Amino acid sequence: WAGKAPQGCETDPYVDCQRGQDIGKLETIVGLFVISLYLFFPPSVVIAMCLWIKKSEKKILRSSGLQAVRESARKEMMHSIAKQISMYLVSFWSIFVLTMIATG
């Protein structure tokens, strides 16, 4: 979607192959944003999830009776969700890394 020259300028003599300023800075900014999105956003979500689980574990210790049973079930569910998120993150990163290696 962003190129250094207009499409078809090599084949059409009437299309000027100059665009003005180089878009290298834009490509760098977009590339760094995408990489930071892939590398920093998912771990921050996983860390937030782990902190939420720890907070709920403290809540379980303070509860009693039926509330303790509910909190225990909620803890198991959150651990399952944390495992799913971690597996998603590993698969996401492995696909990202393999794609980066394949495209050079």
Side-chain angles (χ1 to χ4, degrees):
W1 56 270
K4 295 188 179 198
Q7 290 181 340
C9 74
E10 294 89 15
T11 58
D12 190 358
Y14 298 110
V15 176
D16 192 16
C17 282
Q18 291 184 352
R19 183 174 281 225
Q21 295 180 353
D22 190 20
I23 62 164
K25 289 181 183 178
L26 176 66
E27 290 175 338
T28 303
I29 291 170
V30 170
L32 290 175
F33 174 74
V34 169
I35 288 173
S36 67
L37 183 67
Y38 286 151
L39 296 179
F40 299 121
F41 180 71
S44 64
V45 171
V46 171
I47 289 169
M49 184 72 178
C50 289
L51 293 175
W52 185 41
I53 290 171
K54 287 191 184 280
K55 182 180 174 184
S56 69
E57 286 175 350
K58 288 179 184 177
K59 192 175 181 182
I60 290 172
L61 294 175
R62 289 182 281 175
S63 60
S64 63
L66 186 58
Q67 184 69 20
V69 173
R70 287 182 184 159
E71 292 297 328
S72 176
R74 185 177 296 152
K75 175 185 169 185
E76 289 179 30
M77 182 179 68
M78 286 192 287
H79 279 290
S80 173
I81 291 171
K83 285 181 186 177
Q84 290 176 356
I85 289 173
S86 298
M87 289 188 313
Y88 168 77
L89 188 59
V90 167
S91 64
F92 178 75
W93 277 347
S94 63
I95 290 170
F96 176 70
V97 168
L98 291 175
T99 303
M100 294 300 284
I101 291 171
T103 58

